[in-house]
Amino acid sequence: MAAKESIVGSPALRYEGEAKVLGYAKYIDDLHFPQMIHGATVRSKFPRGRITAIRYGEGIPWDEFTIVTWKDIPGENTIVHLLKDHPCLVQEIVNHPEEPIVLLAHPDKALLRKAVDAVTIEYEPLPAVFTIEESEAPDAPVIWNSEAGDSPNVFKTYLMEKGHVEDVWATADYIIEGEYSTGAQEQFYIENNGVIAEYSEQGVTVWGSMQCPYYLHHALQLAFGLPEQKCRVIQVETGGAFGGKEDYPSVIGCHAALLAMKSGRPVKMVYDRMEDMAATTKRHPSRTRHRTAVSKDGKLLGGEIEFAIDGGAYVTLSPVVLSRGTIHAAGPYNWPHLRIRAKAVATNCPPHGAFRGFGAPQSIFGLERHMDLIAKTVGITPEELRRRNFLQPGGTTATGQLIKDPIDLNGMLTRALEESGYHAKRAEFAKTNPTSPIKRGIGFATFMHGAGFTGSGERRLNSLVAIEVDDEGKPEILVSSTEFGQGTNTILCQVAAQTLHISYKDVRIAQPDTDRVPNSGPTVASRTAMIVGKLVEDASHNLLTCMRASGLLEETYTPEQFCHAALAYKQQHGELRATARYQAPDDIFWDDDKYHGDAYPAYAWAVYVAEVAVDTRTYMAEVKNFWALQEVGKVLNPVLAKGQVEGGVAQGIGYAIYEKCVWKDGVMANNQMTNYIMPTSADLPPIHVLFEEVPSIHGPFGAKGIGELPMDGPAPAILNAIEEATGVRFNHCPLLPEDIFDKLANPTLISADSSQLQPAVAGPVFSGTTP
Amino acid sequence: MSTITFTLNNSQVTVDAPPMTRLLDLLREHLHLTGTKEGCGEGECGSCSVLLNGELVNSCLVPTLQVQGATVTTIEGLGEHTHLHPIQQCFLEEGGAQCGICTPGMILATHHLLEKHPAPTLDEIREGLSGNLCRCTGYMRIFEAVQQTAKLAEAGK
Amino acid sequence: MRSDVRDYTLTAPGSLDAVLSALAANPRLTPIAGGTELMVALGVGRLGRHELISLDGLKELRFIEERPETLILGAGATFTDIRRNAAIAREFPLLAQTASWTGSIANQNRGTLGGNIANASPAADNPPALLAYDASIELVSATGRRTLPYDEFHLGYKKTVLQPGELIYAIHLPRRFAQHRQYVRKVGTRNAQAIAKIALAATALIDEAMVREIRLAGASLIDRPVRLHATEALLLGKAITPELRTQAAAVLASEIKPIDDIRSTAKYRIAVACNLLDEFLLSL
């Protein structure tokens, strides 16, 4: 065997890294095709209404333009995700601001911009709603209805039950209520959405910045009424995505393709920052309500959780975001009895969509803030409360899933608190805070994140990967799993190299092109390392089996012998190719109707600790130090894994205290980088990344998912720390200085809050809901 | 139209362009150097950073007429396939590049920072790169890359 | 890019005299120096002025001159020039500080003091420090020069005393603040590249526990960069006591009129302005 040292687990250099540091890597806006023209979108400037006329203003040579409306769509007027309610272009009724109505194309980009401004949409306004509360109000206008929806303005509901929660209230020592909410968050990839489309008799081809080529492939088939072999999608280098390029490329991809069809020329559509921020998806705003029965000694007896998310104007991915949020709402705790009611509601905001964490950061924020409220109410420390309720091996999750892996949350909590100096700092801050204008605090959150699609999702995806040996005798991985910074290319090549016992640099990975790569599923849901990685491992084994069966490869071999054998095989058989298809593990069961069973094949577990300082003169909170301890199975590449965690924590810090979408009647009012505040290098604290590795049987070499996990913990850990620092509870993120000021400067708002009450005198029911 | 002559990555170039053309567009569209990226077009993200007469600037905020007679260095002028610049090598090894879209600007900002502060403190790095937004890394791997470059330069003296 | 650059003209006459002549001949010309403001407007499609004239590279404007009584900063001095100047670091630390938090390093390499003043944003970073240092401003046109107290320069939201054809030539800082207590604090949306939600700059001369001289100035407190004369008047000649601090906060709150916008709220701005003032007074 050649590979003496392990390739998996080593800091192999990023596969496409050299091209990136040299500036050679070609992103969509760096590509130019002969005869290519540019496309742009005319959008609604009102939230809801019936279009009465479209006027093309004077001073624009309209005969030079390609103009596309819904009438030009050859297939169905839909961007298909889960349902077909989302039109490709508005036919009559506008349901949100920035909704696409007309598409224009022209060779001259600057003239195109003027033309967009010269189109006016006349309309009769219709009543609209913009928040969860407005959408669910009894007298709310019905803005969305469908046979698939459970009731007007509701896209999807789930009911998840364990035990009999109605029995616990009578026996509880404490019943603690709280309401928590989170705002929308912009993915803020530095490269905006963009595609180039071409159309000919052979069919439609779209190149673009995206996560899921086969999603767009499917959308094109419907919009163009074409068979799958006539649609082709190619992912090019993608400058960040974070979920923001999961569902949206289906919209812009179909648009550019329509313009290409009508103009007969390649069409490039690249949004600018203002358009991208205003018109594309963001993280779902949410509201979580907890009612929890607790015993005197701090045991969770049972709970009711109501989880609601604002889906925006169309269903898009809201049901699956809701699903992940619902399952993660219970956290890593033992709940004897639990009922979760969840719903995704319609509003007249642009559709909210996928963003790293996918519903989990929202419900985990609510739970981890609520746990601190429970601790305070019962009169034990946040640490002790969690220790008394952690899931243990042999226990069952809220969906009834048996914990089989030897996880040790108590040990992880001990380690994280030691590494961060938690106890000493708590004592120190208690001493120094009373006399200092800077109030310091330290807080934490404990949580888990499921890897892979929820429930039976992976069975339905039925992913396929292939490995093919090229003319130099080098294996090339063929997957639709995409690289957009997380390290897909690198880790999959590491897995193949290790399995094939050849050098990392001798493995290649194909550009995701639906004409060439099989569908290994979307690049989402922390599934690539574990699910696709395992399939790459399996396919590598199948390749070796095939080569050995032919007698060309011995049991042991050198990389050179592998190469010779591979070329010899190709000469004899024409090609050398092996595949592997997903096979659901035998011991994983999920019931979609009851929402019960094994929600995920594996979970990553984490304890995140945040140290904050709040300046009582400016009401600004700053994170001064951060510790992220996680158990993610085998770490495939320590440099990339650290980078994933640090980047996720940075986004989580932004979510907690910086990044606010300012809405005005469904319009994002701060859709510029100047006004949407993402942390700079001067705003982030040191982020200490710590791993524990408990290998999982479900992933290659024991790996589990890692991508989304770090988004879940920072916001509740930070707000828990801010409560420690100030003694005041804040239940909404993002938490801006103005919000801290509002409460610190208005003691009346604080006194209405149960956390200020002593449990001994407050009676059995505590409401954490603040006005 | 104006005719503008300047030194780009050690070669003299002459181009005709409207004088208010952004240097960013001149580089990308007229001269086909696409390593300089556009992230925001409002001088916030730093993806379009280049060196103008040795100073870091956002090329989206420089009207082309103002580079007449100047020296401009883009990412393409820093290293090449067979010979990465030490900053590029360190970004590669330390994980300083993830999606890569901010990387050319970040590397030029690092170049500028290390010219001013050959052995920068962490605070100098944090400030020096604060005009270059990165959404992937949380900046920690980038700090490592900058420190590693400085260390190598010190060792090489 | 939301503008068509073909709709704009830009010339670069190459000398200050030539620029002034051109401005005199064509009052529609808008000067552009480092471009950190106007080019942003161009990018987002909001640059209404279509004829521009470049001040970039004019040596006559880019200087920092030390005279015995004053330090003179040319309007073309960049924020990087200001940050690197030893005399400013020594004698006018507030200005060195405000220059360091004006935009990013890349913008400090291009942006000029004159541009920051002429743009006349109420949130501009450097004017509060200049006001606290009792700066004068020297203006120049084809017909001559005039110098006036900088406190009289800003007239309203984005309104200044600049006449058509007139440019900012220089800022004069009197070199007599060595004994003053000095203070500046910016409250932005984040630590770098932030627009001020509010900022306060202050200088005071304390003698025998009495306030002998005081200047207070702020950003985002009213529609323009502003000196806080009423609050100064209250404090002048008095010893700082808890009662006086309370009164000062009340006077300050009554003389400022901040707004609610996408970055912050008026009530937050008032409260924080009062807190910053108090922080300064406590330090005296």
Side-chain angles (χ1 to χ4, degrees), chain A residues 441-611:
Chain A
I442 189 163
F444 67 92
T446 52
F447 55 101
M448 89 288 213
H449 198 99
F453 260 41
T454 305
S456 36
E458 290 295 342
R459 280 174 216 258
R460 280 197 297 270
L461 284 177
N462 198 22
S463 299
L464 182 66
V465 312
I467 297 188
E468 204 172 87
V469 171
D470 70 11
D471 292 339
E472 294 174 35
K474 300 199 167 158
E476 183 175 37
I477 300 168
L478 302 175
V479 290
S480 64
S481 307
T482 51
E483 171 67 54
F484 38 90
Q486 357 74 296
T488 297
N489 288 346
T490 310
I491 58 159
L492 294 184
C493 288
Q494 283 179 273
V495 167
Q498 176 94 19
T499 311
L500 296 170
H501 299 295
I502 60 174
S503 154
Y504 164 69
K505 65 176 178 18
D506 285 338
V507 180
R508 289 168 185 173
I509 186 161
Q511 178 174 32
D513 171 348
T514 56
D515 265 12
R516 192 148 181 254
V517 300
N519 190 350
S520 61
T523 311
V524 302
S526 306
R527 66 182 294 277
T528 303
M530 185 175 83
I531 304 282
V532 183
K534 188 75 178 168
L535 293 178
V536 167
E537 186 187 0
D538 293 347
S540 301
H541 281 304
N542 293 344
L543 192 80
L544 291 178
T545 303
C546 175
M547 289 167 75
R548 284 182 177 133
S550 72
L552 292 165
L553 192 68
E554 301 295 323
E555 265 312 301
T556 59
Y557 55 86
T558 65
E560 293 72 29
Q561 287 166 333
F562 174 89
C563 185
H564 289 142
L567 289 173
Y569 187 100
K570 277 183 69 123
Q571 205 161 21
Q572 287 177 14
H573 301 270
E575 70 163 13
L576 173 53
R577 182 184 168 99
T579 61
R581 190 177 280 286
Y582 179 77
Q583 285 182 311
D586 297 338
D587 58 345
I588 298 272
F589 302 100
W590 177 254
D591 183 333
D592 259 329
D593 296 326
K594 291 188 178 145
Y595 241 63
H596 188 82
D598 300 314
Y600 301 95
Y603 295 87
W605 310 87
V607 182
Y608 281 13
V609 187
E611 183 185 331

Side-chain angles (χ1 to χ4, degrees), chain A residues 60-133:
Chain A
I60 303 290
W62 290 110
D63 56 334
E64 295 174 9
F65 281 78
T66 302
I67 302 175
V68 163
T69 68
W70 67 274
K71 291 176 193 157
D72 297 294
I73 298 170
E76 293 180 59
N77 182 10
T78 186
I79 302 292
V80 65
H81 301 291
L82 299 164
L83 297 185
K84 293 181 179 174
D85 65 323
H86 186 193
C88 181
L89 291 167
V90 175
Q91 179 169 343
E92 186 191 3
I93 306 290
V94 164
N95 281 306
H96 65 83
E98 309 294 338
E99 187 160 8
I101 300 169
V102 177
L103 305 170
L104 302 174
H106 195 275
D108 184 332
K109 265 200 276 188
L111 188 57
L112 189 58
R113 181 75 232 165
K114 290 175 184 167
V116 168
D117 292 340
V119 180
T120 44
I121 310 292
E122 292 177 10
Y123 67 100
E124 293 163 6
L126 292 166
V129 297
F130 303 108
T131 62
I132 294 170
E133 286 70 26

Side-chain angles (χ1 to χ4, degrees), chain C residues 10 21 26 29 36 47 55 98 124 143 182 188 191 242 258 262 270 276:
Chain C
L10 172 65
S21 303
N26 180 1
L29 283 175
T36 54
L47 181 56
L55 309 183
T98 57
T143 55
Q182 307 190 12
N191 285 341
I262 53 172
I270 292 171
L276 298 192

Side-chain angles (χ1 to χ4, degrees), chain A residues 429-450:
Chain A
F429 299 160
K431 233 181 272 170
T432 55
N433 277 348
T435 54
S436 171
I438 312 267
K439 310 294 182 195
R440 296 196 289 164
I442 189 163
F444 67 92
T446 52
F447 55 101
M448 89 288 213
H449 198 99

